[in-house]
Amino acid sequence: MKAFASTSRRALAAAAGIALVAALAACGGSDGDDSAAADLDPDADLSKQSIVVSNWADYMPEDVATKFEEATGASMEVTNHATNEEIMAKLTAGSDSGIDVAFVSGQFAQALAAQGLVEPIHDELIPNLKNLAEPATTMAYDKGNEISVPYTWGTTGICYRSDLVKEAPTSWNDLLEPEDAYKGKVTMMATDRWLMLPAQKALGFSANTTDEDEMAQVKDKLVAAKKNLLAYDDTTFYERLISGEAVMVQAWDGWCNYGTTENKDITFTVPEEGSDLWVDTMVVLKTSKNKEAAHAFINYLLEPENGAWAAENILYNVPNQKAMDLLPAELKAQYPPLQVTADELLKGESLTDLGEAATLYSQLVTEITSS
């Protein structure tokens, strides 16, 4: 199993990226009317095409370019971005980025499409779309996978030391209002959408709410919770669990798995009030000059064995059902979040682009963390 070198990429992405999306919306730009599909040739000679793919480091096999060329004849170069913010800045700079396929989270794909920067997905060039679980075609940010194709997905919950807490947490309030014994031993995430999530769900609100009265209640609850926190932590929370410095943390399911690798008493649960559904996607850029090869690459990654690689090495669920079916039973037994079905994940609320309302979130996060 590979080391978890890519584990910092989601945490760094969220808040700043959302702010960028808001800025894009404020600047106007395309309303999506210029997103008409190109006229692509399904019989194009891919050996005459080359593509550049930008992804998070270690998020696909190291030999992916070689294997893709062997499979299709198209040549490929891989570049890396650290965060959604970084790739969004590059793709929205106003000129051809030279990138053909980019990996971005779902709400960012939605924002790029709103700017007319992505090519509509040509289903006829991606026959392996049939490998996706049906729920993966119903995401709120892109119903029908019209502008993006999902690669990995998961949810957010509470990761905890089962040997250091008397009872397993069941509610977000177990984190927001911990027992006296756990005060100073819990962490929450720092980035906008995920910092808000526990209070939003505990209060019965949407994770995409833009209602100012609701968000004022969310702020009050999070300000009250702050005094009991060990830290806001998006990157090292599972290490705090391993050391015992923390006993309960807000975490993504895949990242909780990283802790479980080191300590079998580290366990993940989704609180009874519900949670989110995040998705990392692949988009084809409108500026791509080799769109047939770009679609062929997405089709290649949707091969079951390639999807299974992602689940086995990144420890995230993948929406590729045939890939999930290939996972060894012992891997699923070791990491229970990998046993979560697509239908169960769909119970989480899909995060969507907030547009200009993202500034409200950023403002409240600043007020909460500085209180």
Side-chain angles (χ1 to χ4, degrees):
M1 184 146 316
K2 289 176 66 67
F4 308 119
S6 64
T7 54
S8 65
R9 100 279 175 290
R10 180 178 302 284
L12 298 172
I18 291 169
L20 174 61
V21 171
L24 290 172
C27 290
S30 170
D31 60 2
D33 290 342
D34 58 350
S35 60
D39 185 15
L40 303 188
D41 178 8
D43 298 318
D45 182 356
L46 298 184
S47 68
K48 297 180 179 178
Q49 296 194 10
S50 62
I51 58 172
V52 176
V53 177
S54 188
N55 196 353
W56 293 281
D58 301 313
Y59 216 46
M60 54 188 178
E62 290 183 4
D63 61 353
V64 64
T66 300
K67 293 292 183 62
F68 174 63
E69 185 168 359
E70 291 174 354
T72 67
S75 60
M76 171 183 165
E77 176 186 348
V78 178
T79 65
N80 293 137
H81 54 265
T83 66
N84 275 308
E85 176 196 26
E86 179 182 331
I87 188 62
M88 289 289 285
K90 184 176 293 185
L91 298 180
T92 58
S95 59
D96 184 357
S97 64
I99 294 170
D100 298 275
V101 178
F103 284 68
V104 295
S105 297
Q107 61 270 37
F108 295 89
Q110 182 183 13
L112 288 171
Q115 294 297 308
L117 298 177
V118 299
E119 175 73 17
I121 294 299
H122 294 251
D123 293 0
E124 71 279 10
L125 299 182
I126 311 178
N128 283 333
L129 285 170
K130 67 180 185 299
N131 295 338
L132 293 175
E134 192 279 334
T137 67
T138 63
M139 299 296 99
Y141 64 84
D142 180 22
K143 291 183 179 178
N145 302 132
E146 294 183 352
I147 51 92
S148 64
V149 175
Y151 180 62
T152 57
W153 62 359
T155 188
T156 309
I158 298 176
C159 189
Y160 64 98
R161 283 281 298 267
S162 61
D163 58 330
L164 297 181
V165 297
K166 290 185 296 184
E167 296 182 4
T170 59
S171 166
W172 285 115
N173 285 318
D174 292 326
L175 190 75
L176 296 164
E177 302 169 13
E179 295 182 15
D180 287 346
Y182 308 144
K183 289 178 179 177
K185 297 182 178 180
V186 301
T187 71
M188 293 180 60
M189 293 180 173
T191 39
D192 293 14
R193 303 299 295 271
W194 287 282
L195 189 151
M196 298 294 184
L197 180 68
Q200 288 172 322
K201 290 302 180 183
L203 291 167
F205 302 150
S206 166
N208 297 308
T209 182
T210 57
D211 183 283
E212 293 190 10
D213 289 338
E214 291 184 351
M215 290 306 293
Q217 295 179 56
V218 167
K219 174 190 171 184
D220 290 343
K221 195 168 184 68
L222 290 172
V223 168
K226 183 184 175 185
K227 63 179 183 295
N228 297 319
L229 293 181
L230 169 63
Y232 293 109
D233 187 350
D234 286 347
T235 56
T236 64
F237 46 77
Y238 65 88
E239 294 171 349
R240 295 177 188 270
L241 283 174
I242 293 170
S243 70
E245 182 183 16
V247 299
M248 192 185 313
V249 302
Q250 182 188 1
W252 296 295
D253 46 0
W255 282 31
C256 192
N257 287 336
Y258 307 151
T260 304
T261 300
E262 302 293 330
N263 187 322
K264 61 180 177 53
D265 292 318
I266 293 178
T267 305
F268 180 80
T269 189
V270 176
E272 60 192 9
E273 298 93 344
S275 188
D276 67 336
L277 169 58
W278 59 260
V279 187
D280 286 341
T281 75
M282 300 172 280
V283 298
V284 177
L285 276 300
K286 178 76 73 178
T287 50
S288 170
K289 298 177 178 60
N290 295 294
K291 294 186 175 68
E292 289 90 351
H295 282 76
F297 169 73
I298 293 175
N299 189 62
Y300 175 76
L301 276 199
L302 289 182
E303 292 286 351
E305 59 270 24
N306 292 329
W309 179 94
E312 290 181 286
N313 289 274
I314 306 171
L315 298 180
Y316 288 179
N317 273 291
V318 296
N320 186 327
Q321 188 57 56
K322 289 192 175 181
M324 292 300 293
D325 292 342
L326 293 178
L327 295 188
E330 54 270 27
L331 186 74
K332 292 184 177 180
Q334 183 178 1
Y335 301 107
L338 292 177
Q339 300 174 25
V340 177
T341 68
D343 286 334
E344 289 172 330
L345 274 176
L346 204 65
K347 294 177 182 176
E349 186 177 10
S350 182
L351 297 179
T352 58
D353 174 31
L354 299 174
E356 295 182 16
T359 55
L360 170 63
Y361 277 57
S362 296
Q363 175 187 339
L364 292 181
V365 165
T366 299
E367 294 173 1
I368 292 163
T369 56
S370 63
S371 64

